[in-house]
Amino acid sequence: MNLNYVKNVWRCNYCGEQGGMLSLYARLNHITNSEANREIREALRIENTAYSSRPVIKVTEGSGDTGPGLSEPVAAPGNGLGHNSGSLAEVPQSPRADIQEIHQTLSLLFGMLTLRTPHRLHLRSDKRGLTDEQIEVLGFKSTPLPFLCRSLTDRLIKQGCTVQGVPGFYMDEDGRWTVKFHRRTSGILIPAVGIDGLIRGAQILLDTPIKNKDDPPDKAGTKYIWLSSSNRNMGVTSGSPVHFIGNPCSRTIYITEGLLKADIAHMLMDRSFVAVAGANNTQQLDPLFGVLAQNGTELIIEAADMDKFNNHMTSRGASRIYLMAKSYGMDCRPLTWNPNYKGIDDWQLALRKKERQAKKKPILCFKESFLWGQCSFESINGCIEVWQTEHKKGISLMEYLGLSSTEYEAYIQSGAGELKTLLKSQQSCRRFRIYQLDFDGERRTIPFAFKGIDALHKADYTQPPAMEYRLMCEDKLVCPWDSSETEILDRIFSRYSGALPEGYHGRSLAPSDVVELYDREKRSYYYRDKEDFVPVGFSPFFAKPMKEIEQSLPKGIDGT
């Protein structure tokens, strides 16, 4: 390994891994870059403010989706920033307690805590979708108030628990053991459980994400941190334990990123899940895969977020899962789903929400359904039968069918033929094409894949690069003659973003896709943004032609 103390970078000449001091610390301690950032800052007694009058080392290393980079000045060794400045080794650390001791201490700690109402409501919201019973099974708690830390630790010690060497516990300035909870890191405590059912550590879903001083306004900040005391006297690092939920002897195991995500997906899908804290943090999967192979697991389903198609670090982490599974004789396949949803939990919650909405969805009247090509004219007879058998007082047949007085009078006086002619005159046919980014079975990333127009521009494109796209669909849409292009695009999105039409071999319409509306006079192109369509330039000549059978995402289990 080559270490450059001037540039603060490193490179392994054997495997090719490289980075800055932040990533090296993170890799050695099996934590994310954002956790490394926080631990280094706290060990050096540095708040999120710049020390412009003191000597600093400026580090601008990025960290992908694992958390914010250490983008603020970090004090150089020997700058006088407190007695712990300089080497992290100056902070005495405890040897890590054994697994049984960590489990006992953290289990009793969780038992002393409660779940506050705002946190329970968040977990029960549409964003998380858990029930009270599921919340209890998963063991979520709220972080305690800081002034309770000493008393909680004293109670644990009196009950015979070991606190030295347990992540989160340390010895304070008065020589008393306590646990590290602060107001600025308050949130929901999530236990990290091993395949043996023992608690290895805990994550905190922060009430207020932590942001660095120089972070751009649109950056969300760090949402999750580990309960760790590595930067405190006699403390210990949390590491980054792998989380398991489900049946340890399952033939099929799903791998995803994030403890809470795995818990929610398990409850929604009744499948066994393994979660890593950070898409590229896969080192500790290796011993677990050895246990799973011995338990009879045959198939690993890689269910990393859709970021794996636009983020190199996430993609590389997913690739490691394949190689690791293969080394233990297990098959590995990707799970792909509707790319409008980033994570597997988001997708499953959306499916459940759509099922509920479908039951409450108002039925279109006959005229609107016919004008949009959703039914034949002959279905008017069925509509009349329904009106006759389920007639509600005060609703006339004309209102029920959605007809104007002129149309209804023509139907009564001249029959169905006349009405059909009138309605046909109000119909139009719009032709369209759908272009989608072509991954063609390769594990590669495109920086704006499944992202909005801002990501396209950030990647230095003024318009979607047609050479990265493939024509996936050429079809037509029957619609009212006076429909706006916005209404037509919304209809196309609705048709191609849920249950996909038979014969269509593309993905669900999602951000980064391009839709072309055309007729004999003109062609218009629209980029799918996060919530709507944006007019763009596009050069279809450079796009790849449509295949008869095309799977635009890498072949795997189709979750669309």
Side-chain angles (χ1 to χ4, degrees), residues 442-467:
E442 301 175 16
R443 182 160 289 282
R444 66 190 186 100
T445 58
I446 299 175
F448 59 91
F450 311 129
K451 291 187 175 184
I453 193 73
D454 290 341
L456 177 74
H457 295 157
K458 189 175 181 180
D460 293 329
Y461 291 105
T462 57
Q463 68 179 46
M467 64 182 64

Side-chain angles (χ1 to χ4, degrees), residues 324-382:
M324 207 176 293
K326 185 177 180 181
S327 70
Y328 285 100
M330 296 182 291
D331 190 16
C332 186
R333 303 177 193 170
L335 177 65
T336 61
W337 55 83
N338 187 331
N340 287 285
Y341 309 104
K342 179 181 178 181
I344 189 171
D345 56 333
D346 303 321
W347 167 53
Q348 287 293 311
L349 287 168
L351 289 179
R352 191 168 71 172
K353 184 177 180 180
K354 285 182 178 180
E355 288 177 0
R356 293 197 302 263
Q357 291 176 339
K359 296 177 181 178
K360 301 177 181 180
K361 187 176 181 180
I363 301 175
L364 297 177
C365 66
F366 162 74
K367 178 181 176 180
E368 188 172 1
S369 297
F370 177 74
L371 292 181
W372 280 104
Q374 296 181 2
C375 70
S376 64
F377 182 82
E378 287 69 25
S379 63
I380 190 173
N381 298 322

Side-chain angles (χ1 to χ4, degrees), residues 459-504:
D460 293 329
Y461 291 105
T462 57
Q463 68 179 46
M467 64 182 64
E468 297 282 5
Y469 284 79
R470 181 180 293 279
L471 175 61
M472 302 301 299
C473 174
E474 190 167 6
D475 205 348
K476 59 185 178 181
L477 177 73
V478 176
C479 58
W481 67 272
D482 57 351
S483 299
S484 66
E485 292 200 338
T486 298
E487 290 176 310
I488 293 170
L489 290 167
D490 287 343
R491 287 282 177 168
I492 294 173
F493 180 78
S494 178
R495 178 190 291 184
Y496 289 90
S497 63
L500 301 177
E502 186 177 353
Y504 172 69

